[in-house]
Amino acid sequence: MTTSAVPTADEIWKILKETAASQERNNREIAELRISQKETDKQLKKTENLFTTQWGRLMESLVEGDLISILNQQGIEIARTYTHVKQRGFGDDYEYDIIAENGQEVVVVEVKTTLKVESVKDFLKNVRKFTTRLDRYKDKTIYGAVAWLRVEEKADAYAEKQGLFVIRATGSSASIVNQDDFKPQVFS
């Protein structure tokens, strides 16, 4: 720049060109960062889904491992269990985490890492549709149960009031924690 206070037209033009070039570089770098961020977001989502799926399977295994014995203690002699019973793409999508049965009685179990009242409400809707979705159970006695590692909003008390067995997964086992005078609701 010259020593005068007002820049010349050539100096202004040079500054504008440098500013435009700098802005163009910045725009390219921002675009590259956005692309990189999208890839990172995709990878994080995949990792989160994998973790969530594996964590959910671990929780289900923990509950299923003790389910027969804890239901037997409640007077329901369970002979077999099924996991991940689901239907997709036929208009009425559903999934039941665990179904425990003995030929006459069936306990449908929803497993949650964190049990919330809304989860219980959703499960109640699903368990009420159980025999219409799986008609081989239509003449059976159907009970519901929710299993959880952590509870919020006193959802365990809410579930019990709705007639559900409440199963707490603790450490390496699970146990029913309903009150001694609890009577389960029949959903069939």
Side-chain angles (χ1 to χ4, degrees):
M1 246 194 226
T2 63
T3 56
S4 69
V6 179
T8 66
D10 287 340
E11 292 171 333
I12 292 172
W13 184 247
K14 182 179 176 186
I15 291 170
L16 287 173
K17 284 170 68 177
E18 289 173 358
T19 302
S22 176
Q23 184 64 42
E24 192 175 315
R25 278 192 308 275
N26 287 342
N27 288 343
R28 274 195 312 268
E29 289 174 4
I30 289 170
E32 289 171 6
L33 282 171
R34 285 185 179 141
I35 291 169
S36 177
Q37 183 178 9
K38 284 181 183 179
E39 276 302 310
T40 300
D41 288 348
K42 284 181 188 177
Q43 290 300 323
L44 284 172
K45 186 69 174 165
K46 283 181 184 178
T47 302
E48 178 185 7
N49 288 341
L50 177 62
F51 176 78
T52 301
T53 300
Q54 295 305 316
W55 182 254
R57 296 270 164 97
L58 175 64
M59 285 293 300
E60 290 165 6
S61 292
L62 177 69
V63 172
E64 185 191 18
D66 289 333
L67 192 59
I68 290 175
S69 76
I70 63 178
L71 289 173
N72 287 350
Q73 292 169 15
Q74 297 297 310
I76 303 171
E77 297 293 324
I78 296 300
R80 64 199 141 270
T81 61
Y82 306 96
T83 59
H84 308 110
V85 176
K86 59 185 162 185
Q87 172 179 294
R88 298 280 185 263
F90 294 98
D92 184 25
D93 294 351
Y94 62 83
E95 179 175 353
Y96 295 104
D97 293 332
I98 304 171
I99 298 172
E101 57 132 326
N102 64 15
Q104 185 52 41
E105 296 171 298
V106 179
V107 181
V108 182
V109 184
E110 175 76 2
V111 180
K112 293 289 184 188
T113 302
T114 302
L115 184 66
K116 298 179 181 179
V117 170
E118 193 61 35
S119 307
V120 175
K121 289 178 180 179
D122 290 343
F123 176 65
L124 286 166
K125 290 176 193 171
N126 282 329
V127 78
R128 287 184 177 113
K129 295 179 182 179
F130 182 75
T131 57
T132 58
R133 290 173 169 166
L134 298 165
D135 65 351
R136 70 179 174 267
Y137 294 114
K138 67 182 174 193
D139 297 325
K140 311 298 182 211
T141 302
I142 310 299
Y143 301 108
V146 290
W148 47 274
L149 181 62
R150 186 171 163 260
V151 68
E152 292 181 0
E153 308 164 335
K154 298 184 181 181
D156 52 341
Y158 176 77
E160 185 170 350
K161 285 179 185 173
Q162 302 307 307
L164 300 174
F165 287 106
V166 289
I167 302 170
R168 182 171 182 205
T170 55
S172 61
S173 66
S175 60
I176 292 180
V177 293
N178 292 83
Q179 300 296 317
D180 291 338
D181 60 348
F182 170 74
K183 301 287 185 234
Q185 178 175 330
V186 175
F187 290 93
S188 51

